[in-house]
Amino acid sequence: MLELQNLYFQVPSDTGATKEIIHDLSLTFDDHTFIAITGPNGGGKSTLAKLIMGIEKPTSGKILFNGQDITDLSITERANLGISFAFQQPVRFKGIKVKDLIALAAGKDVKNPNTCDYLSKVGLCARDYINRDIDASLSGGELKRIEIASIIARNTPLSVFDEPEAGIDLWSFNNLIKVFEEMHEGSDNSLIIISHQERILNIADEIVVVADGTVKARGRKDDILPELLKGTEGCRFYQ
């Protein structure tokens, strides 16, 4: 279980004052749940994901994972506890091959057939990618899919995805939906996905709406999605 207790996050503004990105935000995520977090651009969604992973530290408040206070733990310590994170813009690793990244993610020596399986799940032909370097020769979409394959290989209790659809072509996006469904249905792990995409929101157990740095709504898709489809101007959650 993940608990966010009264989180605040502030950064310096151009004027020298502080700008509040996250304001008194509290959420609880149960085990084996698929939560989609959505909301307007600049509302604090990606910052919230980074706070969960430890990329950013809250100004105040607490983050608990399975009852343990992880607020001051590093990214590595949180990863070792079983939290995975997929960036909106994946990181390039010069000098590391795709097969090596998958092995590192899995935490063991992964045989080629298994590596191929992870890559095929995200729509990549293994023989074309397994020995590729994770560098500038790969497109943003290719990097994104390789990153998601590494998250599948890690198989942690909690995986956080920051806008996984970014840079993904339509065919790959359709495949991605199936990947998330399989990740959720095939294990007891939990998913938190930051997304604007209706198809991702539609397969989640619950939708959380974050705007102005706080939770505006939370509920089942049948209760939340119709209001979201009214758009930024018409949705009462954004008012």
Side-chain angles (χ1 to χ4, degrees), residues 16-41:
T18 58
K19 180 180 180 181
E20 195 168 68
I21 308 299
I22 299 294
H23 173 79
D24 195 21
L25 189 150
S26 295
L27 279 170
T28 299
F29 303 95
D30 293 330
D31 293 335
H32 189 46
T33 55
F34 179 171
I35 304 295
I37 299 178
T38 193
N41 292 332

Short mmCIF file of all heavy atoms in Angstrom, two decimals, residues 16-41:
data_model
loop_
_atom_site.label_atom_id
_atom_site.label_comp_id
_atom_site.label_asym_id
_atom_site.label_seq_id
_atom_site.Cartn_x
_atom_site.Cartn_y
_atom_site.Cartn_z
N GLY A 16 11.59 35.32 -7.02
CA GLY A 16 12.28 35.10 -5.76
C GLY A 16 11.39 34.55 -4.67
O GLY A 16 11.87 34.09 -3.64
N ALA A 17 10.09 34.60 -4.91
CA ALA A 17 9.14 34.01 -3.95
C ALA A 17 9.06 32.51 -4.21
O ALA A 17 9.75 31.97 -5.07
CB ALA A 17 7.78 34.68 -4.09
N THR A 18 8.21 31.82 -3.48
CA THR A 18 8.04 30.39 -3.71
C THR A 18 6.76 30.13 -4.50
O THR A 18 5.77 30.84 -4.35
CB THR A 18 7.97 29.61 -2.39
OG1 THR A 18 6.90 30.12 -1.59
CG2 THR A 18 9.29 29.73 -1.63
N LYS A 19 6.82 29.10 -5.33
CA LYS A 19 5.66 28.68 -6.10
C LYS A 19 5.25 27.29 -5.62
O LYS A 19 6.07 26.39 -5.55
CB LYS A 19 6.01 28.62 -7.59
CG LYS A 19 4.85 28.18 -8.48
CD LYS A 19 5.26 28.16 -9.93
CE LYS A 19 4.12 27.72 -10.83
NZ LYS A 19 4.53 27.66 -12.26
N GLU A 20 3.99 27.15 -5.28
CA GLU A 20 3.48 25.89 -4.76
C GLU A 20 2.99 25.01 -5.90
O GLU A 20 2.07 25.38 -6.62
CB GLU A 20 2.36 26.15 -3.76
CG GLU A 20 2.02 24.94 -2.90
CD GLU A 20 1.13 25.30 -1.74
OE1 GLU A 20 -0.05 25.65 -1.99
OE2 GLU A 20 1.60 25.25 -0.60
N ILE A 21 3.60 23.83 -6.05
CA ILE A 21 3.22 22.89 -7.11
C ILE A 21 2.23 21.86 -6.59
O ILE A 21 1.28 21.49 -7.27
CB ILE A 21 4.46 22.19 -7.68
CG1 ILE A 21 5.54 23.19 -8.10
CG2 ILE A 21 4.07 21.31 -8.86
CD1 ILE A 21 5.12 24.15 -9.17
N ILE A 22 2.48 21.36 -5.38
CA ILE A 22 1.60 20.40 -4.73
C ILE A 22 1.11 21.00 -3.42
O ILE A 22 1.90 21.52 -2.63
CB ILE A 22 2.33 19.06 -4.45
CG1 ILE A 22 2.81 18.42 -5.75
CG2 ILE A 22 1.42 18.09 -3.68
CD1 ILE A 22 1.71 17.96 -6.68
N HIS A 23 -0.22 20.95 -3.20
CA HIS A 23 -0.81 21.62 -2.04
C HIS A 23 -1.64 20.64 -1.21
O HIS A 23 -2.69 20.18 -1.66
CB HIS A 23 -1.70 22.79 -2.50
CG HIS A 23 -2.47 23.43 -1.39
ND1 HIS A 23 -1.90 24.33 -0.53
CD2 HIS A 23 -3.77 23.30 -1.01
CE1 HIS A 23 -2.81 24.73 0.35
NE2 HIS A 23 -3.95 24.12 0.08
N ASP A 24 -1.16 20.29 -0.04
CA ASP A 24 -1.90 19.48 0.93
C ASP A 24 -2.58 18.29 0.27
O ASP A 24 -3.77 18.05 0.45
CB ASP A 24 -2.93 20.36 1.65
CG ASP A 24 -3.47 19.69 2.91
OD1 ASP A 24 -2.80 18.78 3.44
OD2 ASP A 24 -4.57 20.08 3.37
N LEU A 25 -1.79 17.51 -0.45
CA LEU A 25 -2.34 16.39 -1.22
C LEU A 25 -2.22 15.10 -0.42
O LEU A 25 -1.13 14.73 0.02
CB LEU A 25 -1.60 16.26 -2.56
CG LEU A 25 -2.17 15.28 -3.58
CD1 LEU A 25 -1.87 15.76 -5.00
CD2 LEU A 25 -1.58 13.88 -3.38
N SER A 26 -3.33 14.41 -0.25
CA SER A 26 -3.35 13.12 0.45
C SER A 26 -4.06 12.09 -0.43
O SER A 26 -5.13 12.36 -0.97
CB SER A 26 -4.08 13.23 1.79
OG SER A 26 -3.38 14.08 2.68
N LEU A 27 -3.44 10.90 -0.56
CA LEU A 27 -4.01 9.81 -1.34
C LEU A 27 -3.57 8.49 -0.74
O LEU A 27 -2.46 8.39 -0.20
CB LEU A 27 -3.54 9.86 -2.80
CG LEU A 27 -4.24 10.81 -3.77
CD1 LEU A 27 -3.46 10.86 -5.08
CD2 LEU A 27 -5.68 10.39 -4.01
N THR A 28 -4.40 7.49 -0.86
CA THR A 28 -4.04 6.13 -0.48
C THR A 28 -4.29 5.21 -1.66
O THR A 28 -5.35 5.27 -2.29
CB THR A 28 -4.87 5.65 0.73
OG1 THR A 28 -4.61 6.48 1.85
CG2 THR A 28 -4.50 4.21 1.09
N PHE A 29 -3.29 4.39 -1.99
CA PHE A 29 -3.40 3.43 -3.08
C PHE A 29 -3.31 2.03 -2.49
O PHE A 29 -2.28 1.66 -1.90
CB PHE A 29 -2.27 3.63 -4.10
CG PHE A 29 -2.20 5.01 -4.67
CD1 PHE A 29 -1.34 5.97 -4.13
CD2 PHE A 29 -2.98 5.37 -5.76
CE1 PHE A 29 -1.26 7.23 -4.66
CE2 PHE A 29 -2.91 6.64 -6.31
CZ PHE A 29 -2.06 7.58 -5.75
N ASP A 30 -4.36 1.25 -2.64
CA ASP A 30 -4.36 -0.11 -2.13
C ASP A 30 -3.50 -1.02 -3.01
O ASP A 30 -3.16 -0.68 -4.15
CB ASP A 30 -5.79 -0.66 -2.07
CG ASP A 30 -6.63 0.06 -1.03
OD1 ASP A 30 -6.06 0.52 -0.02
OD2 ASP A 30 -7.86 0.17 -1.23
N ASP A 31 -3.19 -2.19 -2.48
CA ASP A 31 -2.45 -3.19 -3.26
C ASP A 31 -3.31 -3.70 -4.42
O ASP A 31 -4.54 -3.73 -4.34
CB ASP A 31 -2.05 -4.38 -2.38
CG ASP A 31 -1.04 -3.99 -1.31
OD1 ASP A 31 -0.32 -3.00 -1.52
OD2 ASP A 31 -0.98 -4.67 -0.27
N HIS A 32 -2.62 -4.14 -5.48
CA HIS A 32 -3.27 -4.73 -6.66
C HIS A 32 -4.35 -3.80 -7.23
O HIS A 32 -5.48 -4.22 -7.46
CB HIS A 32 -3.86 -6.10 -6.33
CG HIS A 32 -4.35 -6.84 -7.54
ND1 HIS A 32 -3.60 -6.94 -8.70
CD2 HIS A 32 -5.50 -7.51 -7.79
CE1 HIS A 32 -4.27 -7.63 -9.60
NE2 HIS A 32 -5.42 -7.98 -9.08
N THR A 33 -3.98 -2.54 -7.43
CA THR A 33 -4.88 -1.59 -8.04
C THR A 33 -4.21 -0.93 -9.24
O THR A 33 -2.99 -0.84 -9.31
CB THR A 33 -5.33 -0.49 -7.06
OG1 THR A 33 -4.17 0.16 -6.51
CG2 THR A 33 -6.16 -1.07 -5.93
N PHE A 34 -5.03 -0.49 -10.16
CA PHE A 34 -4.58 0.23 -11.34
C PHE A 34 -5.23 1.61 -11.27
O PHE A 34 -6.43 1.76 -11.48
CB PHE A 34 -5.01 -0.53 -12.59
CG PHE A 34 -4.63 0.11 -13.91
CD1 PHE A 34 -4.82 -0.59 -15.09
CD2 PHE A 34 -4.10 1.38 -14.00
CE1 PHE A 34 -4.49 -0.04 -16.32
CE2 PHE A 34 -3.76 1.96 -15.21
CZ PHE A 34 -3.96 1.24 -16.37
N ILE A 35 -4.42 2.60 -10.93
CA ILE A 35 -4.91 3.96 -10.76
C ILE A 35 -4.37 4.84 -11.89
O ILE A 35 -3.16 4.87 -12.14
CB ILE A 35 -4.47 4.56 -9.41
CG1 ILE A 35 -4.91 3.68 -8.25
CG2 ILE A 35 -5.02 5.98 -9.26
CD1 ILE A 35 -6.39 3.56 -8.05
N ALA A 36 -5.25 5.53 -12.58
CA ALA A 36 -4.86 6.51 -13.59
C ALA A 36 -5.00 7.90 -12.98
O ALA A 36 -6.05 8.24 -12.42
CB ALA A 36 -5.72 6.39 -14.83
N ILE A 37 -3.94 8.69 -13.07
CA ILE A 37 -3.96 10.06 -12.57
C ILE A 37 -3.97 10.99 -13.77
O ILE A 37 -3.10 10.91 -14.65
CB ILE A 37 -2.76 10.36 -11.67
CG1 ILE A 37 -2.77 9.44 -10.45
CG2 ILE A 37 -2.77 11.82 -11.22
CD1 ILE A 37 -1.59 9.61 -9.52
N THR A 38 -4.96 11.87 -13.82
CA THR A 38 -5.10 12.77 -14.96
C THR A 38 -5.41 14.18 -14.46
O THR A 38 -5.57 14.40 -13.26
CB THR A 38 -6.20 12.26 -15.92
OG1 THR A 38 -6.12 12.97 -17.15
CG2 THR A 38 -7.60 12.43 -15.31
N GLY A 39 -5.49 15.11 -15.39
CA GLY A 39 -5.77 16.49 -15.04
C GLY A 39 -5.12 17.43 -16.04
O GLY A 39 -4.40 16.98 -16.95
N PRO A 40 -5.34 18.72 -15.90
CA PRO A 40 -4.80 19.69 -16.87
C PRO A 40 -3.28 19.77 -16.81
O PRO A 40 -2.66 19.42 -15.80
CB PRO A 40 -5.44 21.01 -16.43
CG PRO A 40 -5.71 20.82 -14.97
CD PRO A 40 -6.08 19.38 -14.81
N ASN A 41 -2.69 20.22 -17.90
CA ASN A 41 -1.24 20.44 -17.93
C ASN A 41 -0.85 21.45 -16.86
O ASN A 41 -1.54 22.45 -16.65
CB ASN A 41 -0.80 20.95 -19.30
CG ASN A 41 -0.95 19.90 -20.39
OD1 ASN A 41 -0.87 18.71 -20.12
ND2 ASN A 41 -1.17 20.33 -21.62
#
